[in-house]
């Protein structure tokens, strides 16, 4: 009994050291910057625990992290906690995929490829985007490799996934889509016994349910109303402005009618060419009432577009999904933020105002001109490698690895659809996952190199004979 306790204590210390060491590269850009990084939306999350004001069209779930700042009097603990949580999920994922062999090497490869792929530029922001990859890999660990994790690890992964789901509405859609695919795989496995490995949906379903409850609970705490997401009709109108369907609709319904059916008719010849410009730039958005005042008109125009142009809307959704899938430049929004963040910093974190103003971001010293071409190559090369590995795994009967590669591809596509077709394409949406394809390829190659495998020429590293017998 005493020996088991000592071994358990040693394992706990070892895990804590690995997670702590893994968090360091994830913190790297923020440490180099001299202060946590900010995106435009950070302006609404940083004051949330103090003001109780809900960010526009967003969930208050990320306020769970923002409260860490208020409780500690500093914004540094927010991103430190983020990096520790992501590092733990990466370690658990490496352990599960490696199956106990070469875990340290697999973890190091994951961290290195994630760093080169830009993940630390998101984990170092006071934003939820750094958690997106952890939600995906955490869910896939629970779905496909639950048998390779101790119970305590699985519980922690479930909790991290739930927190990630609650922190951003796009995470709800990604997690829900992966769970639906998992249920479909389970059903297919019942139809074709022995052809597919077990897929365990219990803990992933609990993580999704807990994430939804946390998100709704955070919204209730802030507003006194119980709801999951805010109405997004105005944001959808902005999307239709960008894809041209709003202008097409207004050109059909506005001419020759007095009074005009929509106030936006007066501006139909001067609509901007992007959703961001419509919502945040020089546009009639504020003149027409902003988020609240424009909502009734937005609902009418959105309904009109959907009823008149279903085919065009479907095509634009496909086009914007593909467009988002290819957009992943680093540096989106990492510009000087004094005009937004100085007042909240002075009001709520005055002791850190000097560090904020001295940070490289505020001095305009962050650039990615040389890094982004490399990132593009890693993205497309990683995607090609995943496809080749999935084909090789399938031919060798390694169904679990095949499902992993296909599920990551599906998650990347789902992220592009949710963010590109339902919101509007932005480089940061796919950029937060640009590291994942090459990281998974590196992990699978490293894990495969440590196993006794028999491979066909050109098929790549495959699963061991024992697993082929189990699933074949």
């Amino acid at each position: 009994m005493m020996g088991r306790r000592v071994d358990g204590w040693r394992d706990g210390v070892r895990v804590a050291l690995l997670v702590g060491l893994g968090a360091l590269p994830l913190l790297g850009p923020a440490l180099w910057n001299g202060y946590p990084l900010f995106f435009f939306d950070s302006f609404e999350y940083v004051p949330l625990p103090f003001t109780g004001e809900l960010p526009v069209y967003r969930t208050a779930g990320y306020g769970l992290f923002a409260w860490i700042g208020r409780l500690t009097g500093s914004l540094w603990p927010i991103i430190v906690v983020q990096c520790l949580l992501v590092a733990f999920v990466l370690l658990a994922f490496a352990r599960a995929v490696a199956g106990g062999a070469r875990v340290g090497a697999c973890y190091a490869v994951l961290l290195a490829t994630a760093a080169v792929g830009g993940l630390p530029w998101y984990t170092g922001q006071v934003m939820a985007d750094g958690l997106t990859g952890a939600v995906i890999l955490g869910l896939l660990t629970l779905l496909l490799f639950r048998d390779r994790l101790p119970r305590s690890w699985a519980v922690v992964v479930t909790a991290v996934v739930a927190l990630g789901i609650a922190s951003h509405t796009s995470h709800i859609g990604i997690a829900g889509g992966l769970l639906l695919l998992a249920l479909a795989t389970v059903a297919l496995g019942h139809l074709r016994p022995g052809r597919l490995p077990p897929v365990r949906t219990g803990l992933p379903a609990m993580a999704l349910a807990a994430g939804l409850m946390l998100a709704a609970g955070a919204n209730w705490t802030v507003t006194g109303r119980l709801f999951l997401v805010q109405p997004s009709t105005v944001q959808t109108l902005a999307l239709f402005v960008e894809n041209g369907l709003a202008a097409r609709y207004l050109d059909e319904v506005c001419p020759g009618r007095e009074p005009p059916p929509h106030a936006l008719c007066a501006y139909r010849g001067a609509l901007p060419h992007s959703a961001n410009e419509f919502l945040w730039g020089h546009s009639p958005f504020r003149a027409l009432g902003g988020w609240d005042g424009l909502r009734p008109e937005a609902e009418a125009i959105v309904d009109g577009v959907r009823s008149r142009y279903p085919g065009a809307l479907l095509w634009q959704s496909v086009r914007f999904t593909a467009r988002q899938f290819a957009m992943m430049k680093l540096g989106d929004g990492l510009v000087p933020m004094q005009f937004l963040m100085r007042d909240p910093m002075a009001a709520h974190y005055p002791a850190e105002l000097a560090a904020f103003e001295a940070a490289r971001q505020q001095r305009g010293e962050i650039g990615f001109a040389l890094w982004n071409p490399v990132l593009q190559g890693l993205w497309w090369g990683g995607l090609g490698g995943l496809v080749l590995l999935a084909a090789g795994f399938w031919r060798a009967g390694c169904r679990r690895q095949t499902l992993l590669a296909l599920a990551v591809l599906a998650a990347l596509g789902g992220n592009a659809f949710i963010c590109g077709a339902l919101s509007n394409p932005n480089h940061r949406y796919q950029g937060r996952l640009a590291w994942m394809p090459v990281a998974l390829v590196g992990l699978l190659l490293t894990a495969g190199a440590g196993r006794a495998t028999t491979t066909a020429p050109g098929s790549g590293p495959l699963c061991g004979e024992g697993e082929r017998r189990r699933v074949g």
Side-chain angles (χ1 to χ4, degrees):
M1 179 67 71
M2 181 63 68
R4 286 199 297 271
R5 288 180 179 177
V6 171
D7 289 342
W9 182 83
R10 287 175 178 172
D11 288 342
V13 171
R14 180 171 176 269
V15 169
L17 286 174
L18 287 172
V19 171
L21 289 172
L24 288 177
L26 299 178
L27 278 168
L31 295 172
W32 171 82
N33 181 56
Y35 200 66
L37 298 160
F38 297 100
F39 184 70
F40 297 107
D41 297 355
S42 304
F43 168 71
E44 295 179 303
Y45 287 119
V46 168
L48 177 60
F50 301 92
T51 64
E53 295 180 2
L54 188 66
V56 292
Y57 74 82
R58 302 178 185 95
T59 178
Y62 193 69
L64 297 169
F65 287 87
W67 264 99
I68 298 173
R70 177 168 183 175
L71 293 174
T72 60
S74 171
L75 294 180
W76 277 108
I78 296 176
I79 63 170
V80 169
V81 170
Q82 285 183 173
C83 291
L84 289 171
L85 295 179
V86 173
F88 178 81
V89 171
L90 292 180
L91 178 60
F93 185 66
R95 173 174 179 167
V97 174
R102 298 173 61 87
V103 175
C106 289
Y107 183 47
V109 166
L110 265 183
L111 287 169
T113 49
V116 175
L119 175 61
W121 289 99
Y122 295 90
T123 51
Q125 291 182 34
V126 184
M127 280 292 294
D129 295 297
L131 301 171
T132 311
V135 169
I136 293 172
L137 295 187
L139 277 173
L140 294 180
T141 301
L142 299 174
L143 286 167
L144 297 173
F145 300 98
R146 168 64 187 88
D147 59 311
R148 294 183 178 180
L149 282 184
R151 181 180 299 176
S152 58
W153 285 54
V155 170
V156 176
V157 171
T158 302
V160 174
V161 171
L163 281 170
I165 290 172
S167 69
H168 201 281
T169 51
S170 68
H171 298 170
I172 297 174
I174 295 170
L178 284 175
L179 189 56
L180 287 176
L181 288 176
L183 293 172
T185 303
V186 171
L188 184 61
H190 288 313
L191 295 176
R192 302 288 299 275
R195 297 289 293 174
L196 294 174
V199 176
R200 296 166 175 85
T201 59
L203 286 179
M206 289 177 59
L208 179 58
L212 295 176
M213 288 188 289
L214 283 171
N219 291 335
W220 177 78
T221 301
V222 171
T223 67
R225 296 180 291 112
L226 189 63
F227 63 94
L228 183 59
V229 295
Q230 297 188 77
S232 59
T233 315
V234 175
Q235 189 181 14
T236 303
L237 173 61
L239 172 66
F240 290 174
V241 167
E242 181 165 338
N243 65 26
L245 292 180
R248 177 178 171 182
Y249 172 78
L250 293 173
D251 285 342
E252 286 190 13
V253 304
C254 292
R257 297 181 63 180
E258 292 293 340
H262 305 291
L264 202 57
C265 289
Y267 302 93
R268 61 190 177 91
L271 292 177
H273 297 292
S274 76
N276 290 335
E277 183 67 17
F278 179 76
L279 294 174
W280 315 111
H282 300 289
S283 79
F285 178 72
R286 289 180 180 81
L288 295 176
W291 291 98
D292 294 325
L294 191 56
R295 186 174 299 164
E297 172 134 331
E299 292 174 351
I301 295 175
V302 167
D303 289 343
V305 168
R306 286 172 172 166
S307 61
R308 284 173 179 255
Y309 318 120
L313 182 56
L314 177 61
W315 165 244
Q316 293 291 3
S317 296
V318 172
R319 187 169 73 88
F320 272 41
T321 298
R323 179 178 161 193
Q324 178 66 83
F325 194 80
M327 291 175 63
M328 75 289 296
K329 289 182 180 178
L330 293 176
D332 185 8
L334 292 182
V335 297
M337 288 286 176
Q338 296 97 325
F339 73 105
L340 274 180
M341 291 299 305
R342 192 186 187 285
D343 288 346
M345 291 297 304
H348 306 303
Y349 297 95
E352 297 189 343
L353 182 60
F356 163 77
E357 292 181 325
R360 284 183 166 89
Q361 182 182 5
Q362 314 318 323
R363 300 201 304 264
E365 297 177 0
I366 299 178
F368 299 91
L370 297 178
W371 198 332
N372 278 322
V374 175
L375 187 64
Q376 287 278 341
L378 292 174
W379 169 256
W380 295 111
L383 290 173
L386 270 185
V387 173
L388 292 176
L389 283 176
F393 287 138
W394 182 262
R395 288 197 302 270
C398 305
R399 302 298 189 242
R400 180 147 44 176
Q401 290 84 348
T402 304
L403 289 181
L404 173 61
L406 293 178
V408 168
L409 292 171
L412 296 174
N415 180 73
F417 171 74
I418 291 168
C419 298
L422 302 184
S423 179
N424 65 291
N426 285 279
H427 284 288
R428 72 185 179 96
Y429 290 144
Q430 209 72 1
R432 61 190 184 177
L433 299 176
W435 59 277
M436 192 171 289
V438 70
L440 185 57
V441 169
L443 171 64
L444 290 171
L445 291 175
T446 305
R451 298 186 182 189
T453 61
T454 303
T455 66
S459 61
L462 304 173
C463 60
E465 293 295 331
E467 184 159 345
R468 280 207 293 273
R469 285 196 297 270
R470 286 197 298 272
V471 302

